[in-house]
């Protein structure tokens, strides 16, 4: 039989096909929420030093029958800058190292050859990164591709050709390159999204984000399941995309940094409108809304006055049907009752979310500013 196989070899390799099938079935490794927390970093202290400028050249031109050709040492190249660049593909500051040194400029050569400038060093940071120095904000990178020069490179030194004059026909002087600028910066990430899901622990924010987008935050029946913000993208038929951020649950006294409250609240600052998620199954759910607005207002004045909608979650429970009409009587905002678990009435939320987004876009365009796009 093996002779027949040699006479009639197969048209394709079965082993290669099997390996290709294995590659197709192989999926991205699922990372748990607690392990993901180690990769998600929203603050980083970094020391940046610009590249040193190259020293000036020191030489004299000489060739047969022209021994005293004069000085021909070129200038050194400038040191390279260290530049922060916002990239929408970056979602965390975990890849930012604590120290960066710019590239040095090259030394000036003979025959009036200038040294090459040092290349720029780019540090990719997520969109929404604040750059602080000594507690003062020096840059706010809110647009994709926006750049900020964190440290300037030093100027290149002068060669002895630069010092040629009628009084000094053979200068011996040349200068070294200048050192680069050195700074210590604090990078702080604030999640940039159109909408922010705000609520107390176990209100169902993560379940709601999983229901309306492809994001997969952890879901469990214990508080503080979400340990870092997640951003999900809601797609519409006209190819518009609305970014919704799942902010980790707040507690009373969050503005006083209880329960890591300040680290959670700072991610709400960049949200253009808010989605208050209230658990309808608890007694007096409107108290939750009052407490949430109080925490936002204490953290930043006017934060609770942004365009919003109240989402009454967990309508699949019997207690929620009793509390829903009471909630609508107590709050002036629009209340959308739904169940993130069963998917009931999600269409009303998606339509109203698009209305909030369109209003935001028109407002930004009327001000002459470009709205944030995903």
């Amino acid at each position: 039989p093996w002779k027949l196989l040699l006479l009639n070899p197969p048209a394709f390799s079965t082993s290669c096909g099997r390996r290709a099938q294995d590659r197709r079935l192989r999926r991205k490794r699922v990372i748990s929420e607690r392990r993901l927390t180690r990769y998600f970093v929203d603050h980083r202290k970094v020391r940046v030093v610009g590249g040193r400028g190259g020293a000036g050249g020191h030489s004299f031109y000489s060739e047969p029958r022209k021994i005293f050709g004069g000085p021909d040492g070129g200038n050194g190249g400038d040191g390279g800058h260290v530049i922060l660049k916002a990239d929408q593909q970056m979602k965390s500051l975990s890849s930012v190292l604590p120290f960066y040194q710019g590239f040095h400029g090259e030394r000036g050569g003979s025959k009036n050859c200038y040294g090459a400038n040092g290349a720029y060093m780019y540090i990719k940071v997520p969109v929404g990164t604040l750059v602080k120095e000594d507690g003062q904000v020096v840059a706010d990178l809110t647009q994709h591709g926006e750049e900020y020069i964190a440290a300037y490179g030093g100027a290149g030194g002068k060669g002895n050709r630069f010092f040629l004059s009628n009084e000094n026909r053979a200068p011996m002087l040349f200068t070294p390159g200048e050192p680069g600028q050195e700074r210590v910066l604090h990078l702080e990430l604030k999640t940039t999204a159109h909408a922010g899901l705000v609520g107390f622990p176990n209100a169902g924010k993560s379940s709601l984000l999983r229901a309306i987008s492809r994001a997969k935050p952890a879901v469990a029946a214990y508080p503080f399941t979400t340990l870092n913000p997640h951003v999900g993208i809601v797609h519409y038929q006209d190819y518009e995309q609305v970014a919704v951020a799942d902010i980790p649950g707040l507690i009373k006294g969050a503005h006083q940094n209880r329960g890591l409250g300040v680290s959670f609240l700072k991610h709400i600052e960049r949200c253009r409108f808010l989605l208050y998620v209230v658990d309808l199954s608890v007694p007096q759910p409107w108290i939750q809304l009052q407490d949430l607005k109080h925490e936002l207002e204490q953290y930043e004045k006017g934060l609770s006055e942004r365009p919003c909608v109240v989402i009454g979650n967990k309508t699949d429970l019997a207690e929620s049907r009793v509390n829903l009409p009471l909630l609508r009587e107590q709050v002036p905002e629009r209340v959308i009752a739904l169940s993130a678990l069963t998917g009931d009435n999600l269409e009303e939320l998606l339509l109203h979310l698009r209305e909030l987004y369109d209003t935001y876009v028109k407002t930004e365009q009327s001000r002459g500013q470009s709205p944030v796009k995903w």
Side-chain angles (χ1 to χ4, degrees):
W2 61 273
K3 292 183 179 180
L4 295 177
L5 289 176
L6 293 177
L7 294 175
N8 298 314
F12 58 90
S13 174
T14 56
S15 61
C16 292
R18 190 162 50 252
R19 290 171 186 168
Q21 185 178 9
D22 293 341
R23 284 196 297 269
R24 287 197 302 269
L25 295 177
R26 191 180 304 141
R27 294 183 178 180
K28 184 178 179 181
R29 181 169 57 93
V30 178
I31 302 177
S32 65
E33 181 72 23
R34 293 195 176 273
R35 183 174 296 181
L36 182 63
T37 306
R38 288 184 285 173
Y39 300 118
F40 183 85
V41 178
D42 56 1
H43 57 88
R44 181 74 83 184
K45 179 181 178 181
V46 57
R47 176 169 163 256
V48 289
V49 181
R52 175 181 288 275
H58 176 262
S59 64
F60 290 89
Y61 185 71
S62 178
E63 66 176 9
R65 302 191 206 55
K66 194 174 183 181
I67 303 175
F68 303 104
D72 67 346
N75 298 337
D78 297 332
H81 305 327
V82 180
I83 302 175
L84 299 174
K85 185 173 184 179
D87 189 348
Q88 62 185 7
Q89 299 297 328
M90 305 293 293
K91 303 303 179 184
S92 170
L93 293 173
S94 58
S95 60
V96 177
L97 302 177
F99 174 73
Y100 287 93
Q101 169 70 63
F103 295 101
H104 301 312
E106 294 186 3
R107 184 185 183 92
S110 59
K111 299 182 180 178
N112 297 322
C113 291
Y114 282 31
N117 295 332
Y120 293 166
M121 174 176 289
Y122 288 92
I123 306 173
K124 290 185 178 181
V125 296
V127 175
T129 300
L130 273 179
V131 185
K132 295 183 178 180
E133 184 179 20
D134 298 330
Q136 301 294 326
V137 178
V138 295
D140 189 0
L141 307 177
T142 58
Q143 300 290 335
H144 174 70
E146 192 173 355
E147 298 179 359
Y148 172 71
I149 300 179
Y152 286 91
K158 303 299 184 182
N160 62 340
R161 171 73 181 182
F162 178 81
F163 300 98
L164 177 64
S165 64
N166 292 330
E167 292 78 15
N168 188 4
R169 306 301 299 172
M172 302 293 292
L173 179 64
F174 66 97
T175 60
E178 296 290 335
Q181 185 184 15
E182 182 174 352
R183 302 172 70 185
V184 177
L185 302 175
H186 294 266
L187 307 183
E188 182 178 322
L189 174 60
K190 295 183 179 179
T191 304
T192 301
H194 298 119
L197 293 172
V198 185
F200 284 104
N202 276 21
K205 302 182 299 299
S206 299
S207 300
L208 182 59
L209 186 65
R210 292 169 70 102
I212 63 178
S213 70
R214 295 180 181 178
K216 301 298 180 184
V219 176
Y222 54 85
F224 293 106
T225 310
T226 303
L227 300 176
N228 56 272
H230 292 267
V231 178
I233 307 300
V234 181
H235 300 268
Y236 290 91
Q237 292 184 352
D238 57 352
Y239 303 105
E240 284 288 351
Q241 298 179 351
V242 181
V244 181
D246 175 18
I247 309 299
L250 302 176
I251 63 173
K252 290 184 179 180
H255 67 279
Q256 299 174 351
N257 206 21
R258 292 180 183 174
L260 298 178
V262 172
S263 62
F264 293 169
L265 283 166
K266 67 182 180 182
H267 292 283
I268 307 177
E269 293 183 45
R270 299 296 178 88
C271 297
R272 274 61 183 181
F273 40 90
L274 304 177
L275 308 178
Y276 294 103
V277 182
V278 177
D279 186 358
L280 287 177
S281 63
V282 301
Q284 297 181 342
W286 54 89
I287 301 297
Q288 293 186 12
L289 182 62
Q290 296 174 3
D291 293 338
L292 289 172
K293 289 187 175 182
H294 175 73
E295 295 299 330
L296 296 182
E297 196 65 25
Q298 292 298 318
Y299 175 73
E300 181 182 337
K301 188 173 181 60
L303 187 58
S304 64
E305 300 176 358
R306 294 187 181 181
C308 66
V309 64
V310 180
I311 300 174
N313 194 18
K314 302 183 181 180
T315 56
D316 52 299
L317 301 179
E319 300 86 351
S320 302
R321 300 168 193 151
V322 178
N323 293 329
L324 178 58
L326 301 177
L327 175 64
R328 286 176 171 165
E329 292 177 0
Q330 294 290 334
V331 299
E333 294 86 3
R334 178 177 179 178
V335 178
I336 299 178
L338 54 83
S339 174
L341 180 63
T342 62
D344 184 29
N345 204 28
L346 286 178
E347 296 81 3
E348 183 181 355
L349 172 61
L350 294 176
L351 290 175
H352 188 68
L353 183 64
R354 181 58 188 271
E355 293 176 5
L356 292 173
Y357 173 76
D358 292 339
T359 304
Y360 155 71
V361 171
K362 292 179 181 178
T363 303
E364 292 296 310
Q365 291 177 349
S366 63
R367 296 176 180 174
Q369 300 178 358
S370 57
V372 176
K373 295 285 186 177
W374 279 74

